[in-house]
Every structure is written in C-alpha cells, then in structure tokens.
Amino acid sequence: MTNIFGTGASKIFRDRSVLSSRYMPEELVGRDKEIKELVEIIRPVLHHGEPANAIISGNKGTGKTTVVRYVLKQLIENIEKDDLNVVPVFINCQKINTTSRIIQEILNKVYPEAEVPKTGLSMGKYYRALWKALNETDYTIIVVFDEIELLKNHTILYDLSHAGENMSIEDDIFIGIIGIADDLTFHGQLEQSIVSALQQKNLVFRPYDSDQITQILEKRNTSAFAEGVLNRENIKLCVELAGEEGNASKAVTLLERAGNIADTLRSEEITEKHFRVANEEMSDSELISSMEKLPFHSKLVLLSIVKLTNELNDKVTTGQIEALYRKFCEETNTDPLGRTSVSRIVSEFDMEGVISAPVRSRGRYGKTRLVALKKSPHKIETALHSDYRLKQLRIN
C-alpha cells in the first residue's frame, strides 16, 4: 500500500509544536513588567490571603493570555510544593459563557464529585452548590475569564466577587477574578455596581514592537525548524508582513504557514515566496471571517459597492451606493438605514482598509466620496454570499 503521508522526516520542521498557540516558552519576550504586575495581584494566596481582581486588556496578539498562563503555571508549582488549598480555573468565554456552565466548570475543578445537573436548576441552586463545594473543600479559587467580553451576563462577576461579603463562603476562603479582554474599553462598559464589587486593577498590554516580535520569531525558529531552513532576512520579512499592529500571534501563525507551504513543496528552506503565499492565504481567511461577522446592513452596503464596481469598472459615489443599497433592502424586505448611517458604514470600511473613500468636492453641489475597492471583489462577494439572505441578490 502506498504511504499517503510520504516518506522520510521533514526537511523543514524539527518541532512543530513550538509554533502552536498553546506553546509556553521558558521565557517571555518583552513582558517582564506585565508578569510582575500580575504576580503581585495573585501573590497573597501563597500566604492564605485574598488575591486582587484584575481586568487585562490589549489588542490581539499582545501576549495577554500567554502571560496569564505563564504566571498560573508557576503558581501551580508553588501550590503543589507548599500543599496550598488554591485552585486556578481557566474559563474560555468563547466556549463557556453562561452563568450555569461557568459554575459547573468551577465545580468540576474544585469538587468533581458534586452531582449538579447541567440544566433544570434555578440560578440560586447552582450558586448554593458552588458555595457548599468551596466551604467543604476549603478552596480559594482564582477564576480567569479569557475573552471576558463574550460573557452572556456580567452579573456573575458581581456574585463571585461579593460571595465573602454576603457570607456565602467562609472568612478564610477567597475568590479572585482575572478577566482578559481584547476590547480596550471593556472595563468601562461594566455597570458601576460590578466595578464597585470587583475593585479591579486594570492592566493594559501595549503592542509588541518589531524588535520584540523579531526576538519571538528567532526563539521559535531555533526550536521549530531544522538548522539553516530560515534565514534572518526572511524573519524580518515575516515581521513586516504581519503588519504594524504588534500582533505576535499573527507573526507566529504566518511563520508556521510559510513553513507548511515549504514542507508541502518538499523545499529545503523557507523562502520569500513561501511567506508571500502564506500571507495572501491568511489575508483571504481574515477577510472571509470579517465579512461573515458584519451586521446585515453593512453587508448590503458592501455588496452594493461590489456590484457597482463590477458594472462601472470605476470609482463610485456614495449616492450610487445608497441607491443600490436601498434596492437591496427592498428585495430582502429590510427597513433601510438613513443616509447618515450609510455614510458612516462607508467610512468604517475605509478605516478598515477594505475600500478607499477619499472625500471630493463637487463645488456648489457639496461633497461626496469616491469609493474604490482595495480588496478583491470576487473574494468579498464569495464571503458575503455565505449569508443565505444575500444569495437571492444577483451580483452580475
């Protein structure tokens, strides 16, 4: 039988797991200050004290989750060494974001013997089961909410942080809360009662600079790839292609994809071409993902721009876009937005780099925007048509 996986070891990869999002380096680049701040927040539990609460915010790829996991890993080592009654609980809010499921996840960590049904109980009974488990085990817990902005109900932050004051748990048991948010404004969106209960410290992670991302990639290169596969110039290219947002995760993903392309082609090194192909694939994937998440009216506006661009093969005006948008609203039985709202959506696409829309004077007729697509019309159309409501609208 033919070996469909091919023969022989990879000429490119030495240890691909080093490029995984779950990989934990021995040392973190450029995050000494943030690590120290987080350690100070958690340190009291090592002496049977109460940890502080914190909201950690920053753009994607700035190392927020990695730093928290790094600190928790060392905390667990201390817990095991000193036999402390402390349990960290990591909640991924993209997967677990309702109050009942969060409580069940905490119970699974601190008291797996608890027989609590997944559905059918009042919220009060779920909480009573949690308080009982903590009191019986005498556990202090540190609950980490990754992507905390995806929580269905912020009230759980109040209830957990207020458990001691409400005498739901014993005096020597504490609950610490650490929230991780990509939204820099998240802590400002919380109700005042929750802010007062949390009394959280707000830690903001700044983006990595290009030198720091270069250091990160160089460290991964040493372990992930065979010797001589990747040169320093192409590491610099990877940093450049990853953009100016300081997103280290994106740079590492690009590094892995370029390596995968080189490996698939049985190349003996990762070249500039491999990076550029990988970057184009990632851009297409990001475009499709961003298009799928757009509000429906934004999709209709963008679809109007695509159709007009295809028909006129030229820049189009906001007046033309609005007219076709209204036609699409009629065909989909949707109440249209006003002119100002449509103009705002066009401006948002301009800021996001999907279109170019400079303002042009029309003399006594006022001003207008001349809109041109900066992304492939075909790729945008394909992404938009993943929404079944748009399939009835003919582009061609």
Side-chain angles (χ1 to χ4, degrees):
M1 180 182 293
T2 303
N3 184 354
I4 60 175
F5 291 101
T7 57
S10 170
K11 296 179 181 179
I12 297 296
F13 291 105
R14 174 182 290 159
D15 183 357
R16 192 164 180 165
S17 68
V18 174
L19 301 173
S20 166
S21 60
R22 293 184 295 167
Y23 173 72
M24 181 59 65
E26 289 296 322
E27 295 181 357
L28 302 185
V29 172
R31 288 294 176 257
D32 291 347
K33 173 177 173 289
E34 290 80 358
I35 291 171
K36 183 178 180 181
E37 289 176 335
L38 186 56
V39 166
E40 290 305 312
I41 285 168
I42 295 175
R43 187 191 298 278
V45 302
L46 298 179
H47 310 102
H48 309 287
E50 181 176 10
N53 298 320
I55 299 295
I56 301 172
S57 57
N59 295 332
K60 287 183 180 293
T62 52
K64 303 182 299 297
T65 301
T66 300
V67 165
V68 173
R69 287 189 178 277
Y70 181 85
V71 171
L72 289 184
K73 182 181 178 181
Q74 295 202 27
L75 173 66
I76 291 170
E77 292 175 1
N78 280 272
I79 290 170
E80 293 173 349
K81 177 170 66 72
D82 298 330
D83 195 26
L84 299 172
N85 272 18
V86 180
V87 178
V89 183
F90 196 94
I91 306 288
N92 183 338
C93 296
Q94 195 171 58
K95 298 177 181 178
I96 302 173
N97 57 17
T98 62
T99 300
S100 59
R101 288 198 62 198
I102 290 167
I103 291 176
Q104 288 172 48
E105 186 69 12
I106 297 172
L107 284 170
N108 287 339
K109 295 290 185 181
V110 302
Y111 196 52
E113 300 85 0
E115 296 182 1
V116 179
K118 292 184 178 181
T119 58
L121 293 183
S122 68
M123 207 54 63
K125 288 184 178 179
Y126 278 116
Y127 275 115
R128 284 195 289 275
L130 176 59
W131 308 146
K132 180 181 178 183
L134 293 177
N135 288 325
E136 289 185 1
T137 59
D138 198 31
Y139 277 140
T140 281
I141 59 174
I142 297 172
V143 186
V144 177
F145 293 95
D146 196 13
E147 298 190 70
I148 191 172
E149 61 266 45
L150 299 181
L151 277 179
K152 294 290 187 183
N153 191 337
H154 295 160
T155 303
I156 190 171
L157 304 177
Y158 177 91
D159 293 330
L160 291 178
S161 60
H162 231 53
E165 285 79 356
N166 290 341
M167 299 173 61
S168 299
I169 54 179
E170 300 294 335
D171 291 342
D172 58 347
I173 296 173
F174 304 106
I175 299 176
I177 294 172
I178 297 172
I180 306 173
D182 289 333
D183 186 347
L184 288 161
T185 66
F186 174 77
H187 60 82
Q189 299 171 20
L190 295 172
E191 294 180 12
Q192 190 55 47
S193 59
I194 296 175
V195 173
S196 297
L198 283 175
Q199 296 183 16
Q200 83 277 3
K201 296 184 178 181
N202 298 314
L203 309 184
V204 179
F205 277 41
R206 65 198 185 283
Y208 290 104
D209 60 36
S210 59
D211 288 340
Q212 290 169 334
I213 295 181
T214 299
Q215 290 179 53
I216 291 170
L217 297 188
E218 287 176 341
K219 287 178 178 292
R220 301 292 178 98
N221 171 35
T222 302
S223 302
F225 298 116
E227 187 175 353
V229 161
L230 181 62
N231 62 43
R232 185 172 177 81
E233 289 304 311
N234 280 327
I235 290 179
K236 289 181 178 179
L237 174 64
C238 183
V239 175
E240 179 185 328
L241 291 174
E244 300 178 355
E245 300 89 357
N247 188 333
S249 298
K250 182 178 179 180
V252 173
T253 300
L254 179 57
L255 188 64
E256 181 185 22
R257 289 206 180 190
N260 188 58
I261 291 168
D263 191 48
T264 301
L265 296 174
R266 299 291 187 266
S267 175
E268 294 186 353
E269 61 180 351
I270 307 174
T271 66
E272 177 181 342
K273 182 178 180 181
H274 297 142
F275 276 107
R276 295 199 181 279
V277 172
N279 185 57
E280 186 174 346
E281 289 180 355
M282 284 179 62
S283 296
D284 290 347
S285 178
E286 290 171 0
L287 176 66
I288 291 171
S289 177
S290 65
M291 295 298 104
E292 290 175 345
K293 295 175 183 176
L294 286 174
F296 188 58
H297 284 282
S298 296
K299 291 180 179 179
L300 290 177
V301 170
L302 188 55
L303 196 64
S304 302
I305 295 172
V306 171
K307 178 174 174 59
L308 289 167
T309 300
N310 287 341
E311 284 185 353
L312 303 177
N313 195 28
D314 197 3
K315 295 179 180 179
V316 297
T317 67
T318 48
Q320 291 170 316
I321 293 167
E322 184 187 357
L324 184 55
Y325 157 76
R326 289 183 174 277
K327 181 175 181 292
F328 282 160
C329 284
E330 185 177 339
E331 291 181 16
T332 56
N333 196 29
T334 303
D335 293 332
L337 299 175
R339 177 174 296 178
T340 301
S341 295
V342 173
S343 180
R344 175 183 52 79
I345 291 172
V346 171
S347 296
E348 288 173 355
F349 284 133
D350 186 20
M351 288 186 291
E352 292 165 4
V354 177
I355 64 174
S356 171
V359 177
R360 292 288 185 267
S361 173
R362 300 174 62 203
R364 60 178 177 160
Y365 298 104
K367 296 179 180 180
T368 189
R369 287 180 179 270
L370 293 179
V371 178
L373 283 168
K374 296 174 69 175
K375 304 287 185 180
S376 164
H378 175 71
K379 290 176 181 177
I380 292 176
E381 176 187 345
T382 301
L384 289 174
H385 275 178
S386 64
D387 188 328
Y388 73 93
R389 296 169 295 180
L390 300 182
K391 288 183 178 178
Q392 62 179 298
L393 303 177
R394 303 280 299 185
I395 290 286
N396 299 319

mmCIF file with all atom_site columns, all heavy atoms in Angstrom, residues 56-67:
data_model
loop_
_atom_site.group_PDB
_atom_site.id
_atom_site.type_symbol
_atom_site.label_atom_id
_atom_site.label_alt_id
_atom_site.label_comp_id
_atom_site.label_asym_id
_atom_site.label_entity_id
_atom_site.label_seq_id
_atom_site.pdbx_PDB_ins_code
_atom_site.Cartn_x
_atom_site.Cartn_y
_atom_site.Cartn_z
_atom_site.occupancy
_atom_site.B_iso_or_equiv
_atom_site.pdbx_formal_charge
_atom_site.auth_seq_id
_atom_site.auth_comp_id
_atom_site.auth_asym_id
_atom_site.auth_atom_id
_atom_site.pdbx_PDB_model_num
ATOM 1  N N   . ILE A 1 56 ? -7.416 42.551 32.373 1.00 0.00 ? 56 ILE A N   1
ATOM 2  C CA  . ILE A 1 56 ? -6.256 42.714 31.494 1.00 0.00 ? 56 ILE A CA  1
ATOM 3  C C   . ILE A 1 56 ? -6.768 42.958 30.081 1.00 0.00 ? 56 ILE A C   1
ATOM 4  O O   . ILE A 1 56 ? -7.480 42.124 29.521 1.00 0.00 ? 56 ILE A O   1
ATOM 5  C CB  . ILE A 1 56 ? -5.367 41.456 31.519 1.00 0.00 ? 56 ILE A CB  1
ATOM 6  C CG1 . ILE A 1 56 ? -4.877 41.182 32.937 1.00 0.00 ? 56 ILE A CG1 1
ATOM 7  C CG2 . ILE A 1 56 ? -4.202 41.598 30.553 1.00 0.00 ? 56 ILE A CG2 1
ATOM 8  C CD1 . ILE A 1 56 ? -4.155 39.853 33.084 1.00 0.00 ? 56 ILE A CD1 1
ATOM 9  N N   . SER A 1 57 ? -6.427 44.096 29.518 1.00 0.00 ? 57 SER A N   1
ATOM 10 C CA  . SER A 1 57 ? -6.914 44.413 28.176 1.00 0.00 ? 57 SER A CA  1
ATOM 11 C C   . SER A 1 57 ? -5.751 44.760 27.258 1.00 0.00 ? 57 SER A C   1
ATOM 12 O O   . SER A 1 57 ? -4.666 45.138 27.699 1.00 0.00 ? 57 SER A O   1
ATOM 13 C CB  . SER A 1 57 ? -7.923 45.576 28.224 1.00 0.00 ? 57 SER A CB  1
ATOM 14 O OG  . SER A 1 57 ? -7.336 46.720 28.817 1.00 0.00 ? 57 SER A OG  1
ATOM 15 N N   . GLY A 1 58 ? -6.003 44.630 25.974 1.00 0.00 ? 58 GLY A N   1
ATOM 16 C CA  . GLY A 1 58 ? -4.977 44.909 24.974 1.00 0.00 ? 58 GLY A CA  1
ATOM 17 C C   . GLY A 1 58 ? -5.394 44.326 23.639 1.00 0.00 ? 58 GLY A C   1
ATOM 18 O O   . GLY A 1 58 ? -6.294 43.483 23.570 1.00 0.00 ? 58 GLY A O   1
ATOM 19 N N   . ASN A 1 59 ? -4.767 44.776 22.580 1.00 0.00 ? 59 ASN A N   1
ATOM 20 C CA  . ASN A 1 59 ? -5.094 44.270 21.247 1.00 0.00 ? 59 ASN A CA  1
ATOM 21 C C   . ASN A 1 59 ? -4.759 42.785 21.140 1.00 0.00 ? 59 ASN A C   1
ATOM 22 O O   . ASN A 1 59 ? -4.020 42.234 21.948 1.00 0.00 ? 59 ASN A O   1
ATOM 23 C CB  . ASN A 1 59 ? -4.323 45.052 20.177 1.00 0.00 ? 59 ASN A CB  1
ATOM 24 C CG  . ASN A 1 59 ? -4.733 46.503 20.112 1.00 0.00 ? 59 ASN A CG  1
ATOM 25 O OD1 . ASN A 1 59 ? -5.868 46.855 20.445 1.00 0.00 ? 59 ASN A OD1 1
ATOM 26 N ND2 . ASN A 1 59 ? -3.824 47.372 19.708 1.00 0.00 ? 59 ASN A ND2 1
ATOM 27 N N   . LYS A 1 60 ? -5.296 42.154 20.119 1.00 0.00 ? 60 LYS A N   1
ATOM 28 C CA  . LYS A 1 60 ? -4.989 40.744 19.857 1.00 0.00 ? 60 LYS A CA  1
ATOM 29 C C   . LYS A 1 60 ? -3.489 40.570 19.646 1.00 0.00 ? 60 LYS A C   1
ATOM 30 O O   . LYS A 1 60 ? -2.834 41.426 19.056 1.00 0.00 ? 60 LYS A O   1
ATOM 31 C CB  . LYS A 1 60 ? -5.748 40.248 18.625 1.00 0.00 ? 60 LYS A CB  1
ATOM 32 C CG  . LYS A 1 60 ? -7.233 40.041 18.827 1.00 0.00 ? 60 LYS A CG  1
ATOM 33 C CD  . LYS A 1 60 ? -7.871 39.486 17.564 1.00 0.00 ? 60 LYS A CD  1
ATOM 34 C CE  . LYS A 1 60 ? -9.377 39.269 17.765 1.00 0.00 ? 60 LYS A CE  1
ATOM 35 N NZ  . LYS A 1 60 ? -9.656 38.203 18.745 1.00 0.00 ? 60 LYS A NZ  1
ATOM 36 N N   . GLY A 1 61 ? -2.970 39.442 20.129 1.00 0.00 ? 61 GLY A N   1
ATOM 37 C CA  . GLY A 1 61 ? -1.577 39.118 19.873 1.00 0.00 ? 61 GLY A CA  1
ATOM 38 C C   . GLY A 1 61 ? -0.582 39.876 20.720 1.00 0.00 ? 61 GLY A C   1
ATOM 39 O O   . GLY A 1 61 ? 0.605  39.930 20.389 1.00 0.00 ? 61 GLY A O   1
ATOM 40 N N   . THR A 1 62 ? -1.034 40.464 21.848 1.00 0.00 ? 62 THR A N   1
ATOM 41 C CA  . THR A 1 62 ? -0.110 41.210 22.711 1.00 0.00 ? 62 THR A CA  1
ATOM 42 C C   . THR A 1 62 ? 0.336  40.391 23.918 1.00 0.00 ? 62 THR A C   1
ATOM 43 O O   . THR A 1 62 ? 0.942  40.932 24.841 1.00 0.00 ? 62 THR A O   1
ATOM 44 C CB  . THR A 1 62 ? -0.742 42.532 23.182 1.00 0.00 ? 62 THR A CB  1
ATOM 45 O OG1 . THR A 1 62 ? -2.037 42.276 23.749 1.00 0.00 ? 62 THR A OG1 1
ATOM 46 C CG2 . THR A 1 62 ? -0.891 43.503 22.022 1.00 0.00 ? 62 THR A CG2 1
ATOM 47 N N   . GLY A 1 63 ? 0.015  39.099 23.924 1.00 0.00 ? 63 GLY A N   1
ATOM 48 C CA  . GLY A 1 63 ? 0.536  38.205 24.958 1.00 0.00 ? 63 GLY A CA  1
ATOM 49 C C   . GLY A 1 63 ? -0.266 38.133 26.238 1.00 0.00 ? 63 GLY A C   1
ATOM 50 O O   . GLY A 1 63 ? 0.218  37.604 27.240 1.00 0.00 ? 63 GLY A O   1
ATOM 51 N N   . LYS A 1 64 ? -1.502 38.616 26.235 1.00 0.00 ? 64 LYS A N   1
ATOM 52 C CA  . LYS A 1 64 ? -2.307 38.642 27.459 1.00 0.00 ? 64 LYS A CA  1
ATOM 53 C C   . LYS A 1 64 ? -2.532 37.231 28.021 1.00 0.00 ? 64 LYS A C   1
ATOM 54 O O   . LYS A 1 64 ? -2.226 36.947 29.186 1.00 0.00 ? 64 LYS A O   1
ATOM 55 C CB  . LYS A 1 64 ? -3.648 39.320 27.181 1.00 0.00 ? 64 LYS A CB  1
ATOM 56 C CG  . LYS A 1 64 ? -3.536 40.734 26.635 1.00 0.00 ? 64 LYS A CG  1
ATOM 57 C CD  . LYS A 1 64 ? -4.889 41.368 26.423 1.00 0.00 ? 64 LYS A CD  1
ATOM 58 C CE  . LYS A 1 64 ? -5.763 40.631 25.419 1.00 0.00 ? 64 LYS A CE  1
ATOM 59 N NZ  . LYS A 1 64 ? -5.188 40.624 24.049 1.00 0.00 ? 64 LYS A NZ  1
ATOM 60 N N   . THR A 1 65 ? -3.089 36.366 27.190 1.00 0.00 ? 65 THR A N   1
ATOM 61 C CA  . THR A 1 65 ? -3.389 35.003 27.645 1.00 0.00 ? 65 THR A CA  1
ATOM 62 C C   . THR A 1 65 ? -2.111 34.238 27.953 1.00 0.00 ? 65 THR A C   1
ATOM 63 O O   . THR A 1 65 ? -2.045 33.486 28.932 1.00 0.00 ? 65 THR A O   1
ATOM 64 C CB  . THR A 1 65 ? -4.211 34.260 26.575 1.00 0.00 ? 65 THR A CB  1
ATOM 65 O OG1 . THR A 1 65 ? -5.425 34.986 26.327 1.00 0.00 ? 65 THR A OG1 1
ATOM 66 C CG2 . THR A 1 65 ? -4.562 32.856 27.034 1.00 0.00 ? 65 THR A CG2 1
ATOM 67 N N   . THR A 1 66 ? -1.083 34.433 27.142 1.00 0.00 ? 66 THR A N   1
ATOM 68 C CA  . THR A 1 66 ? 0.186  33.737 27.369 1.00 0.00 ? 66 THR A CA  1
ATOM 69 C C   . THR A 1 66 ? 0.787  34.126 28.714 1.00 0.00 ? 66 THR A C   1
ATOM 70 O O   . THR A 1 66 ? 1.274  33.268 29.466 1.00 0.00 ? 66 THR A O   1
ATOM 71 C CB  . THR A 1 66 ? 1.188  34.051 26.239 1.00 0.00 ? 66 THR A CB  1
ATOM 72 O OG1 . THR A 1 66 ? 0.629  33.627 24.989 1.00 0.00 ? 66 THR A OG1 1
ATOM 73 C CG2 . THR A 1 66 ? 2.500  33.339 26.463 1.00 0.00 ? 66 THR A CG2 1
ATOM 74 N N   . VAL A 1 67 ? 0.757  35.415 29.041 1.00 0.00 ? 67 VAL A N   1
ATOM 75 C CA  . VAL A 1 67 ? 1.294  35.870 30.326 1.00 0.00 ? 67 VAL A CA  1
ATOM 76 C C   . VAL A 1 67 ? 0.498  35.262 31.478 1.00 0.00 ? 67 VAL A C   1
ATOM 77 O O   . VAL A 1 67 ? 1.078  34.788 32.475 1.00 0.00 ? 67 VAL A O   1
ATOM 78 C CB  . VAL A 1 67 ? 1.280  37.412 30.408 1.00 0.00 ? 67 VAL A CB  1
ATOM 79 C CG1 . VAL A 1 67 ? 1.480  37.890 31.850 1.00 0.00 ? 67 VAL A CG1 1
ATOM 80 C CG2 . VAL A 1 67 ? 2.363  37.998 29.514 1.00 0.00 ? 67 VAL A CG2 1
#
